[in-house]
PDB file of all heavy atoms in Angstrom:
ATOM      1  N   GLN A  45     -14.803 -16.228  17.064  1.00 80.00           N
ATOM      2  CA  GLN A  45     -15.370 -17.570  17.034  1.00 80.00           C
ATOM      3  C   GLN A  45     -14.299 -18.653  17.161  1.00 80.00           C
ATOM      4  O   GLN A  45     -14.604 -19.825  17.181  1.00 80.00           O
ATOM      5  CB  GLN A  45     -16.124 -17.810  15.723  1.00 80.00           C
ATOM      6  CG  GLN A  45     -17.252 -16.846  15.452  1.00 80.00           C
ATOM      7  CD  GLN A  45     -18.419 -17.015  16.394  1.00 80.00           C
ATOM      8  OE1 GLN A  45     -18.438 -16.425  17.461  1.00 80.00           O
ATOM      9  NE2 GLN A  45     -19.394 -17.813  16.014  1.00 80.00           N
ATOM     10  N   LYS A 104      -2.889  -2.922   8.613  1.00 97.00           N
ATOM     11  CA  LYS A 104      -4.137  -2.619   9.308  1.00 97.00           C
ATOM     12  C   LYS A 104      -3.977  -1.660  10.480  1.00 97.00           C
ATOM     13  O   LYS A 104      -4.972  -1.296  11.090  1.00 97.00           O
ATOM     14  CB  LYS A 104      -4.827  -3.910   9.783  1.00 97.00           C
ATOM     15  CG  LYS A 104      -5.278  -4.878   8.692  1.00 97.00           C
ATOM     16  CD  LYS A 104      -6.020  -4.265   7.514  1.00 97.00           C
ATOM     17  CE  LYS A 104      -7.216  -3.437   7.828  1.00 97.00           C
ATOM     18  NZ  LYS A 104      -7.643  -2.639   6.624  1.00 97.00           N
ATOM     19  N   LYS A 127       0.743   9.877  12.201  1.00 97.00           N
ATOM     20  CA  LYS A 127       0.917  11.241  12.747  1.00 97.00           C
ATOM     21  C   LYS A 127       1.290  11.192  14.224  1.00 97.00           C
ATOM     22  O   LYS A 127       2.141  11.938  14.694  1.00 97.00           O
ATOM     23  CB  LYS A 127      -0.394  12.014  12.600  1.00 97.00           C
ATOM     24  CG  LYS A 127      -0.497  12.843  11.339  1.00 97.00           C
ATOM     25  CD  LYS A 127       0.129  14.224  11.568  1.00 97.00           C
ATOM     26  CE  LYS A 127       0.306  15.027  10.297  1.00 97.00           C
ATOM     27  NZ  LYS A 127      -0.944  15.441   9.710  1.00 97.00           N
ATOM     28  N   VAL A 141       2.874   6.959   4.426  1.00 98.00           N
ATOM     29  CA  VAL A 141       2.342   5.665   4.850  1.00 98.00           C
ATOM     30  C   VAL A 141       2.284   4.725   3.648  1.00 98.00           C
ATOM     31  O   VAL A 141       1.641   5.034   2.647  1.00 98.00           O
ATOM     32  CB  VAL A 141       0.938   5.805   5.478  1.00 98.00           C
ATOM     33  CG1 VAL A 141       0.404   4.442   5.893  1.00 98.00           C
ATOM     34  CG2 VAL A 141       0.971   6.755   6.666  1.00 98.00           C
ATOM     35  N   SER A 143       0.876   1.319   2.390  1.00 97.00           N
ATOM     36  CA  SER A 143      -0.075   0.281   2.773  1.00 97.00           C
ATOM     37  C   SER A 143      -0.392  -0.568   1.560  1.00 97.00           C
ATOM     38  O   SER A 143      -1.352  -0.344   0.834  1.00 97.00           O
ATOM     39  CB  SER A 143      -1.336   0.888   3.370  1.00 97.00           C
ATOM     40  OG  SER A 143      -2.106  -0.140   3.976  1.00 97.00           O
ATOM     41  N   ASN A 144       0.470  -1.501   1.313  1.00 97.00           N
ATOM     42  CA  ASN A 144       0.409  -2.314   0.117  1.00 97.00           C
ATOM     43  C   ASN A 144       0.381  -3.795   0.511  1.00 97.00           C
ATOM     44  O   ASN A 144       1.242  -4.577   0.101  1.00 97.00           O
ATOM     45  CB  ASN A 144       1.632  -2.005  -0.742  1.00 97.00           C
ATOM     46  CG  ASN A 144       1.304  -1.935  -2.209  1.00 97.00           C
ATOM     47  OD1 ASN A 144       0.608  -1.035  -2.656  1.00 97.00           O
ATOM     48  ND2 ASN A 144       1.772  -2.921  -2.960  1.00 97.00           N
ATOM     49  N   ARG A 158      14.165   5.032  -3.160  1.00 98.00           N
ATOM     50  CA  ARG A 158      13.766   5.800  -4.340  1.00 98.00           C
ATOM     51  C   ARG A 158      13.637   7.284  -4.019  1.00 98.00           C
ATOM     52  O   ARG A 158      14.063   8.140  -4.796  1.00 98.00           O
ATOM     53  CB  ARG A 158      12.440   5.253  -4.881  1.00 98.00           C
ATOM     54  CG  ARG A 158      12.591   3.858  -5.470  1.00 98.00           C
ATOM     55  CD  ARG A 158      11.261   3.211  -5.817  1.00 98.00           C
ATOM     56  NE  ARG A 158      11.485   1.860  -6.343  1.00 98.00           N
ATOM     57  CZ  ARG A 158      10.515   1.099  -6.863  1.00 98.00           C
ATOM     58  NH1 ARG A 158       9.265   1.550  -6.911  1.00 98.00           N
ATOM     59  NH2 ARG A 158      10.792  -0.098  -7.329  1.00 98.00           N
ATOM     60  N   GLU A 161      16.990   8.835  -3.569  1.00 97.00           N
ATOM     61  CA  GLU A 161      17.603   9.019  -4.897  1.00 97.00           C
ATOM     62  C   GLU A 161      17.129  10.296  -5.580  1.00 97.00           C
ATOM     63  O   GLU A 161      17.879  10.955  -6.286  1.00 97.00           O
ATOM     64  CB  GLU A 161      17.254   7.829  -5.812  1.00 97.00           C
ATOM     65  CG  GLU A 161      18.089   6.590  -5.575  1.00 97.00           C
ATOM     66  CD  GLU A 161      17.580   5.385  -6.375  1.00 97.00           C
ATOM     67  OE1 GLU A 161      16.528   5.489  -7.055  1.00 97.00           O
ATOM     68  OE2 GLU A 161      18.245   4.349  -6.320  1.00 97.00           O
ATOM     69  N   GLU A 178      -8.670  -9.575  16.021  1.00 96.00           N
ATOM     70  CA  GLU A 178      -9.790 -10.433  15.640  1.00 96.00           C
ATOM     71  C   GLU A 178     -10.171 -10.179  14.184  1.00 96.00           C
ATOM     72  O   GLU A 178     -10.551 -11.095  13.451  1.00 96.00           O
ATOM     73  CB  GLU A 178     -10.993 -10.160  16.554  1.00 96.00           C
ATOM     74  CG  GLU A 178     -12.180 -11.033  16.221  1.00 96.00           C
ATOM     75  CD  GLU A 178     -13.394 -10.745  17.099  1.00 96.00           C
ATOM     76  OE1 GLU A 178     -13.248 -10.067  18.124  1.00 96.00           O
ATOM     77  OE2 GLU A 178     -14.482 -11.205  16.733  1.00 96.00           O
ATOM     78  N   SER A 182     -10.152 -13.410  11.874  1.00 96.00           N
ATOM     79  CA  SER A 182     -11.414 -13.909  11.322  1.00 96.00           C
ATOM     80  C   SER A 182     -11.389 -13.857   9.799  1.00 96.00           C
ATOM     81  O   SER A 182     -11.957 -14.717   9.132  1.00 96.00           O
ATOM     82  CB  SER A 182     -12.597 -13.098  11.870  1.00 96.00           C
ATOM     83  OG  SER A 182     -12.515 -11.750  11.449  1.00 96.00           O
ATOM     84  N   GLY A 183     -10.711 -12.858   9.268  1.00 96.00           N
ATOM     85  CA  GLY A 183     -10.627 -12.728   7.810  1.00 96.00           C
ATOM     86  C   GLY A 183      -9.833 -13.854   7.171  1.00 96.00           C
ATOM     87  O   GLY A 183     -10.276 -14.490   6.213  1.00 96.00           O
ATOM     88  N   ASP A 233      15.940  -2.869  -6.741  1.00 98.00           N
ATOM     89  CA  ASP A 233      14.629  -3.233  -6.224  1.00 98.00           C
ATOM     90  C   ASP A 233      13.588  -3.231  -7.328  1.00 98.00           C
ATOM     91  O   ASP A 233      13.774  -2.620  -8.382  1.00 98.00           O
ATOM     92  CB  ASP A 233      14.208  -2.261  -5.112  1.00 98.00           C
ATOM     93  CG  ASP A 233      14.119  -0.825  -5.601  1.00 98.00           C
ATOM     94  OD1 ASP A 233      14.870  -0.476  -6.516  1.00 98.00           O
ATOM     95  OD2 ASP A 233      13.295  -0.074  -5.089  1.00 98.00           O
ATOM     96  N   ALA A 235       8.984  -3.805  -7.736  1.00 98.00           N
ATOM     97  CA  ALA A 235       7.700  -4.116  -7.084  1.00 98.00           C
ATOM     98  C   ALA A 235       6.636  -4.231  -8.173  1.00 98.00           C
ATOM     99  O   ALA A 235       5.940  -3.283  -8.481  1.00 98.00           O
ATOM    100  CB  ALA A 235       7.337  -3.034  -6.070  1.00 98.00           C
ATOM    101  N   ASN A 237       3.379  -6.008 -10.216  1.00 98.00           N
ATOM    102  CA  ASN A 237       2.101  -6.690  -9.986  1.00 98.00           C
ATOM    103  C   ASN A 237       1.949  -7.915 -10.895  1.00 98.00           C
ATOM    104  O   ASN A 237       2.421  -7.930 -12.021  1.00 98.00           O
ATOM    105  CB  ASN A 237       0.955  -5.701 -10.246  1.00 98.00           C
ATOM    106  CG  ASN A 237      -0.341  -6.134  -9.596  1.00 98.00           C
ATOM    107  OD1 ASN A 237      -1.011  -7.038 -10.074  1.00 98.00           O
ATOM    108  ND2 ASN A 237      -0.689  -5.508  -8.491  1.00 98.00           N
ATOM    109  N   ARG A 254       9.391 -10.970 -12.188  1.00 98.00           N
ATOM    110  CA  ARG A 254       9.755  -9.668 -12.776  1.00 98.00           C
ATOM    111  C   ARG A 254      10.315  -8.699 -11.733  1.00 98.00           C
ATOM    112  O   ARG A 254      11.182  -7.880 -12.050  1.00 98.00           O
ATOM    113  CB  ARG A 254       8.544  -9.044 -13.459  1.00 98.00           C
ATOM    114  CG  ARG A 254       8.162  -9.794 -14.705  1.00 98.00           C
ATOM    115  CD  ARG A 254       6.995  -9.112 -15.376  1.00 98.00           C
ATOM    116  NE  ARG A 254       6.471  -9.971 -16.427  1.00 98.00           N
ATOM    117  CZ  ARG A 254       6.022  -9.529 -17.587  1.00 98.00           C
ATOM    118  NH1 ARG A 254       6.027  -8.238 -17.841  1.00 98.00           N
ATOM    119  NH2 ARG A 254       5.552 -10.363 -18.493  1.00 98.00           N
ATOM    120  N   GLU A 262      18.847  -3.491 -12.141  1.00 98.00           N
ATOM    121  CA  GLU A 262      19.311  -2.229 -11.580  1.00 98.00           C
ATOM    122  C   GLU A 262      20.655  -2.397 -10.872  1.00 98.00           C
ATOM    123  O   GLU A 262      21.542  -1.553 -11.002  1.00 98.00           O
ATOM    124  CB  GLU A 262      18.279  -1.688 -10.582  1.00 98.00           C
ATOM    125  CG  GLU A 262      18.714  -0.365  -9.997  1.00 98.00           C
ATOM    126  CD  GLU A 262      17.726   0.178  -8.967  1.00 98.00           C
ATOM    127  OE1 GLU A 262      16.817  -0.562  -8.562  1.00 98.00           O
ATOM    128  OE2 GLU A 262      17.891   1.339  -8.580  1.00 98.00           O
ATOM    129  N   PHE A 368      -1.691  -9.988  -1.226  1.00 97.00           N
ATOM    130  CA  PHE A 368      -3.005  -9.775  -1.837  1.00 97.00           C
ATOM    131  C   PHE A 368      -2.951  -8.559  -2.772  1.00 97.00           C
ATOM    132  O   PHE A 368      -2.192  -7.624  -2.544  1.00 97.00           O
ATOM    133  CB  PHE A 368      -4.052  -9.507  -0.745  1.00 97.00           C
ATOM    134  CG  PHE A 368      -4.675 -10.741  -0.155  1.00 97.00           C
ATOM    135  CD1 PHE A 368      -4.214 -12.004  -0.469  1.00 97.00           C
ATOM    136  CD2 PHE A 368      -5.743 -10.624   0.725  1.00 97.00           C
ATOM    137  CE1 PHE A 368      -4.807 -13.142   0.087  1.00 97.00           C
ATOM    138  CE2 PHE A 368      -6.348 -11.749   1.288  1.00 97.00           C
ATOM    139  CZ  PHE A 368      -5.872 -13.005   0.964  1.00 97.00           C
TER     140      PHE A 368
ATOM    141  N   GLU B  97       1.108  -6.621 -23.294  1.00 84.00           N
ATOM    142  CA  GLU B  97       1.422  -6.052 -22.000  1.00 84.00           C
ATOM    143  C   GLU B  97       1.584  -4.549 -22.102  1.00 84.00           C
ATOM    144  O   GLU B  97       1.988  -4.041 -23.140  1.00 84.00           O
ATOM    145  CB  GLU B  97       2.704  -6.679 -21.477  1.00 84.00           C
ATOM    146  CG  GLU B  97       2.466  -8.090 -21.043  1.00 84.00           C
ATOM    147  CD  GLU B  97       3.730  -8.760 -20.596  1.00 84.00           C
ATOM    148  OE1 GLU B  97       4.711  -8.043 -20.341  1.00 84.00           O
ATOM    149  OE2 GLU B  97       3.728  -9.991 -20.514  1.00 84.00           O
ATOM    150  N   ARG B 107      -6.653   9.160   1.562  1.00 97.00           N
ATOM    151  CA  ARG B 107      -6.634   9.533   2.973  1.00 97.00           C
ATOM    152  C   ARG B 107      -7.146   8.401   3.852  1.00 97.00           C
ATOM    153  O   ARG B 107      -6.588   8.122   4.910  1.00 97.00           O
ATOM    154  CB  ARG B 107      -7.521  10.770   3.179  1.00 97.00           C
ATOM    155  CG  ARG B 107      -7.608  11.218   4.621  1.00 97.00           C
ATOM    156  CD  ARG B 107      -8.349  12.536   4.775  1.00 97.00           C
ATOM    157  NE  ARG B 107      -8.276  12.970   6.158  1.00 97.00           N
ATOM    158  CZ  ARG B 107      -9.104  12.541   7.108  1.00 97.00           C
ATOM    159  NH1 ARG B 107     -10.071  11.696   6.821  1.00 97.00           N
ATOM    160  NH2 ARG B 107      -8.955  12.949   8.354  1.00 97.00           N
ATOM    161  N   SER B 108      -8.211   7.745   3.410  1.00 98.00           N
ATOM    162  CA  SER B 108      -8.925   6.824   4.298  1.00 98.00           C
ATOM    163  C   SER B 108      -8.592   5.353   4.078  1.00 98.00           C
ATOM    164  O   SER B 108      -9.307   4.483   4.583  1.00 98.00           O
ATOM    165  CB  SER B 108     -10.432   7.030   4.160  1.00 98.00           C
ATOM    166  OG  SER B 108     -10.775   8.343   4.523  1.00 98.00           O
ATOM    167  N   ASP B 114     -13.446  -1.564   5.752  1.00 98.00           N
ATOM    168  CA  ASP B 114     -13.049  -2.059   7.080  1.00 98.00           C
ATOM    169  C   ASP B 114     -14.257  -2.018   8.029  1.00 98.00           C
ATOM    170  O   ASP B 114     -14.515  -2.966   8.771  1.00 98.00           O
ATOM    171  CB  ASP B 114     -11.938  -1.188   7.696  1.00 98.00           C
ATOM    172  CG  ASP B 114     -10.615  -1.294   6.952  1.00 98.00           C
ATOM    173  OD1 ASP B 114     -10.507  -2.118   6.032  1.00 98.00           O
ATOM    174  OD2 ASP B 114      -9.693  -0.529   7.297  1.00 98.00           O
ATOM    175  N   TYR B 117     -16.744  -4.662   7.136  1.00 97.00           N
ATOM    176  CA  TYR B 117     -16.287  -5.984   7.563  1.00 97.00           C
ATOM    177  C   TYR B 117     -16.433  -6.144   9.077  1.00 97.00           C
ATOM    178  O   TYR B 117     -16.881  -7.199   9.558  1.00 97.00           O
ATOM    179  CB  TYR B 117     -14.832  -6.215   7.141  1.00 97.00           C
ATOM    180  CG  TYR B 117     -14.335  -7.571   7.580  1.00 97.00           C
ATOM    181  CD1 TYR B 117     -14.659  -8.715   6.862  1.00 97.00           C
ATOM    182  CD2 TYR B 117     -13.603  -7.724   8.759  1.00 97.00           C
ATOM    183  CE1 TYR B 117     -14.262  -9.971   7.288  1.00 97.00           C
ATOM    184  CE2 TYR B 117     -13.203  -8.972   9.192  1.00 97.00           C
ATOM    185  CZ  TYR B 117     -13.532 -10.090   8.455  1.00 97.00           C
ATOM    186  OH  TYR B 117     -13.148 -11.329   8.886  1.00 97.00           O
ATOM    187  N   TYR B 127     -22.292 -14.120  13.409  1.00 93.00           N
ATOM    188  CA  TYR B 127     -20.876 -13.942  13.112  1.00 93.00           C
ATOM    189  C   TYR B 127     -20.531 -14.630  11.794  1.00 93.00           C
ATOM    190  O   TYR B 127     -20.228 -15.815  11.759  1.00 93.00           O
ATOM    191  CB  TYR B 127     -20.089 -14.559  14.269  1.00 93.00           C
ATOM    192  CG  TYR B 127     -18.642 -14.137  14.398  1.00 93.00           C
ATOM    193  CD1 TYR B 127     -18.270 -13.097  15.242  1.00 93.00           C
ATOM    194  CD2 TYR B 127     -17.640 -14.804  13.703  1.00 93.00           C
ATOM    195  CE1 TYR B 127     -16.945 -12.735  15.397  1.00 93.00           C
ATOM    196  CE2 TYR B 127     -16.309 -14.445  13.846  1.00 93.00           C
ATOM    197  CZ  TYR B 127     -15.965 -13.410  14.701  1.00 93.00           C
ATOM    198  OH  TYR B 127     -14.652 -13.056  14.859  1.00 93.00           O
ATOM    199  N   THR B 137     -10.371  -5.188   2.319  1.00 98.00           N
ATOM    200  CA  THR B 137      -9.918  -4.375   3.452  1.00 98.00           C
ATOM    201  C   THR B 137      -8.437  -4.032   3.324  1.00 98.00           C
ATOM    202  O   THR B 137      -7.736  -3.847   4.316  1.00 98.00           O
ATOM    203  CB  THR B 137     -10.198  -5.061   4.813  1.00 98.00           C
ATOM    204  OG1 THR B 137      -9.454  -6.285   4.873  1.00 98.00           O
ATOM    205  CG2 THR B 137     -11.673  -5.347   4.999  1.00 98.00           C
ATOM    206  N   ASN B 140      -4.671  -1.418  -1.570  1.00 98.00           N
ATOM    207  CA  ASN B 140      -4.002  -1.698  -2.842  1.00 98.00           C
ATOM    208  C   ASN B 140      -4.767  -2.677  -3.715  1.00 98.00           C
ATOM    209  O   ASN B 140      -4.378  -2.911  -4.862  1.00 98.00           O
ATOM    210  CB  ASN B 140      -2.595  -2.239  -2.576  1.00 98.00           C
ATOM    211  CG  ASN B 140      -2.619  -3.565  -1.842  1.00 98.00           C
ATOM    212  OD1 ASN B 140      -3.176  -3.652  -0.748  1.00 98.00           O
ATOM    213  ND2 ASN B 140      -2.058  -4.592  -2.437  1.00 98.00           N
ATOM    214  N   SER B 154       3.332  -4.505 -13.945  1.00 98.00           N
ATOM    215  CA  SER B 154       4.210  -3.349 -13.834  1.00 98.00           C
ATOM    216  C   SER B 154       4.313  -2.895 -12.382  1.00 98.00           C
ATOM    217  O   SER B 154       3.635  -3.417 -11.504  1.00 98.00           O
ATOM    218  CB  SER B 154       3.652  -2.223 -14.707  1.00 98.00           C
ATOM    219  OG  SER B 154       2.266  -2.082 -14.466  1.00 98.00           O
ATOM    220  N   GLU B 155       5.177  -1.911 -12.144  1.00 98.00           N
ATOM    221  CA  GLU B 155       5.396  -1.362 -10.810  1.00 98.00           C
ATOM    222  C   GLU B 155       4.089  -0.859 -10.204  1.00 98.00           C
ATOM    223  O   GLU B 155       3.275  -0.238 -10.904  1.00 98.00           O
ATOM    224  CB  GLU B 155       6.359  -0.175 -10.900  1.00 98.00           C
ATOM    225  CG  GLU B 155       7.816  -0.562 -10.953  1.00 98.00           C
ATOM    226  CD  GLU B 155       8.368  -0.942  -9.582  1.00 98.00           C
ATOM    227  OE1 GLU B 155       7.832  -0.489  -8.556  1.00 98.00           O
ATOM    228  OE2 GLU B 155       9.356  -1.702  -9.552  1.00 98.00           O
ATOM    229  N   ASN B 156       3.894  -1.091  -8.910  1.00 98.00           N
ATOM    230  CA  ASN B 156       2.705  -0.544  -8.270  1.00 98.00           C
ATOM    231  C   ASN B 156       2.929  -0.293  -6.787  1.00 98.00           C
ATOM    232  O   ASN B 156       3.732  -0.972  -6.142  1.00 98.00           O
ATOM    233  CB  ASN B 156       1.486  -1.435  -8.504  1.00 98.00           C
ATOM    234  CG  ASN B 156       1.606  -2.769  -7.797  1.00 98.00           C
ATOM    235  OD1 ASN B 156       0.705  -3.220  -7.115  1.00 98.00           O
ATOM    236  ND2 ASN B 156       2.748  -3.426  -7.928  1.00 98.00           N
ATOM    237  N   PHE B 158       0.723   1.634  -3.175  1.00 98.00           N
ATOM    238  CA  PHE B 158      -0.377   2.422  -2.607  1.00 98.00           C
ATOM    239  C   PHE B 158       0.090   3.114  -1.324  1.00 98.00           C
ATOM    240  O   PHE B 158       0.697   2.484  -0.463  1.00 98.00           O
ATOM    241  CB  PHE B 158      -1.604   1.550  -2.303  1.00 98.00           C
ATOM    242  CG  PHE B 158      -2.868   2.359  -2.174  1.00 98.00           C
ATOM    243  CD1 PHE B 158      -3.774   2.421  -3.217  1.00 98.00           C
ATOM    244  CD2 PHE B 158      -3.122   3.101  -1.028  1.00 98.00           C
ATOM    245  CE1 PHE B 158      -4.921   3.208  -3.124  1.00 98.00           C
ATOM    246  CE2 PHE B 158      -4.262   3.889  -0.929  1.00 98.00           C
ATOM    247  CZ  PHE B 158      -5.168   3.940  -1.979  1.00 98.00           C
ATOM    248  N   PHE B 159      -0.212   4.408  -1.222  1.00 98.00           N
ATOM    249  CA  PHE B 159       0.205   5.206  -0.069  1.00 98.00           C
ATOM    250  C   PHE B 159      -0.994   5.871   0.600  1.00 98.00           C
ATOM    251  O   PHE B 159      -2.026   6.059  -0.031  1.00 98.00           O
ATOM    252  CB  PHE B 159       1.171   6.310  -0.520  1.00 98.00           C
ATOM    253  CG  PHE B 159       2.424   5.781  -1.154  1.00 98.00           C
ATOM    254  CD1 PHE B 159       2.538   5.694  -2.537  1.00 98.00           C
ATOM    255  CD2 PHE B 159       3.477   5.343  -0.376  1.00 98.00           C
ATOM    256  CE1 PHE B 159       3.692   5.190  -3.132  1.00 98.00           C
ATOM    257  CE2 PHE B 159       4.639   4.839  -0.959  1.00 98.00           C
ATOM    258  CZ  PHE B 159       4.745   4.761  -2.342  1.00 98.00           C
ATOM    259  N   VAL B 160      -0.804   6.208   1.870  1.00 98.00           N
ATOM    260  CA  VAL B 160      -1.847   6.933   2.590  1.00 98.00           C
ATOM    261  C   VAL B 160      -1.262   8.252   3.113  1.00 98.00           C
ATOM    262  O   VAL B 160      -0.196   8.254   3.746  1.00 98.00           O
ATOM    263  CB  VAL B 160      -2.396   6.098   3.769  1.00 98.00           C
ATOM    264  CG1 VAL B 160      -3.409   6.898   4.577  1.00 98.00           C
ATOM    265  CG2 VAL B 160      -3.043   4.815   3.241  1.00 98.00           C
ATOM    266  N   GLU B 162      -2.654  12.394   4.573  1.00 96.00           N
ATOM    267  CA  GLU B 162      -3.836  13.180   4.959  1.00 96.00           C
ATOM    268  C   GLU B 162      -4.313  14.067   3.825  1.00 96.00           C
ATOM    269  O   GLU B 162      -5.500  14.317   3.667  1.00 96.00           O
ATOM    270  CB  GLU B 162      -3.532  14.008   6.207  1.00 96.00           C
ATOM    271  CG  GLU B 162      -3.394  13.120   7.430  1.00 96.00           C
ATOM    272  CD  GLU B 162      -3.841  13.770   8.710  1.00 96.00           C
ATOM    273  OE1 GLU B 162      -3.408  14.905   8.961  1.00 96.00           O
ATOM    274  OE2 GLU B 162      -4.614  13.119   9.452  1.00 96.00           O
ATOM    275  N   TYR B 172       8.120  10.441  -7.045  1.00 98.00           N
ATOM    276  CA  TYR B 172       8.048   8.972  -7.149  1.00 98.00           C
ATOM    277  C   TYR B 172       7.871   8.559  -8.608  1.00 98.00           C
ATOM    278  O   TYR B 172       8.525   7.641  -9.099  1.00 98.00           O
ATOM    279  CB  TYR B 172       6.911   8.430  -6.276  1.00 98.00           C
ATOM    280  CG  TYR B 172       7.041   6.951  -5.982  1.00 98.00           C
ATOM    281  CD1 TYR B 172       7.862   6.505  -4.953  1.00 98.00           C
ATOM    282  CD2 TYR B 172       6.355   6.002  -6.746  1.00 98.00           C
ATOM    283  CE1 TYR B 172       7.998   5.146  -4.681  1.00 98.00           C
ATOM    284  CE2 TYR B 172       6.479   4.638  -6.477  1.00 98.00           C
ATOM    285  CZ  TYR B 172       7.297   4.229  -5.448  1.00 98.00           C
ATOM    286  OH  TYR B 172       7.434   2.878  -5.182  1.00 98.00           O
ATOM    287  N   ASN B 175      11.052   9.127 -10.597  1.00 97.00           N
ATOM    288  CA  ASN B 175      12.047   8.103 -10.278  1.00 97.00           C
ATOM    289  C   ASN B 175      11.771   6.815 -11.058  1.00 97.00           C
ATOM    290  O   ASN B 175      12.694   6.180 -11.573  1.00 97.00           O
ATOM    291  CB  ASN B 175      12.075   7.843  -8.773  1.00 97.00           C
ATOM    292  CG  ASN B 175      13.086   6.778  -8.379  1.00 97.00           C
ATOM    293  OD1 ASN B 175      12.751   5.615  -8.242  1.00 97.00           O
ATOM    294  ND2 ASN B 175      14.351   7.170  -8.223  1.00 97.00           N
ATOM    295  N   LYS B 181      12.072   1.809 -14.731  1.00 97.00           N
ATOM    296  CA  LYS B 181      11.239   0.759 -14.146  1.00 97.00           C
ATOM    297  C   LYS B 181       9.831   0.803 -14.727  1.00 97.00           C
ATOM    298  O   LYS B 181       9.041  -0.112 -14.515  1.00 97.00           O
ATOM    299  CB  LYS B 181      11.208   0.895 -12.626  1.00 97.00           C
ATOM    300  CG  LYS B 181      12.540   0.414 -12.038  1.00 97.00           C
ATOM    301  CD  LYS B 181      12.589   0.479 -10.545  1.00 97.00           C
ATOM    302  CE  LYS B 181      13.886  -0.184 -10.083  1.00 97.00           C
ATOM    303  NZ  LYS B 181      14.464   0.407  -8.912  1.00 97.00           N
TER     304      LYS B 181
END
Side-chain angles (χ1 to χ4, degrees):
Chain A
Q45 302 291 87
K104 297 314 306 166
K127 266 273 169 68
V141 179
S143 192
N144 220 68
R158 292 171 182 187
E161 281 172 356
E178 181 182 346
S182 64
D233 60 330
N237 200 284
R254 290 182 191 218
E262 181 182 11
F368 274 7
Chain B
E97 287 177 16
R107 178 173 186 276
S108 299
D114 292 354
Y117 180 80
Y127 198 95
T137 63
N140 64 302
S154 47
E155 278 282 335
N156 68 132
F158 200 101
F159 299 97
V160 176
E162 290 212 311
Y172 198 83
N175 180 265
K181 285 181 173 146

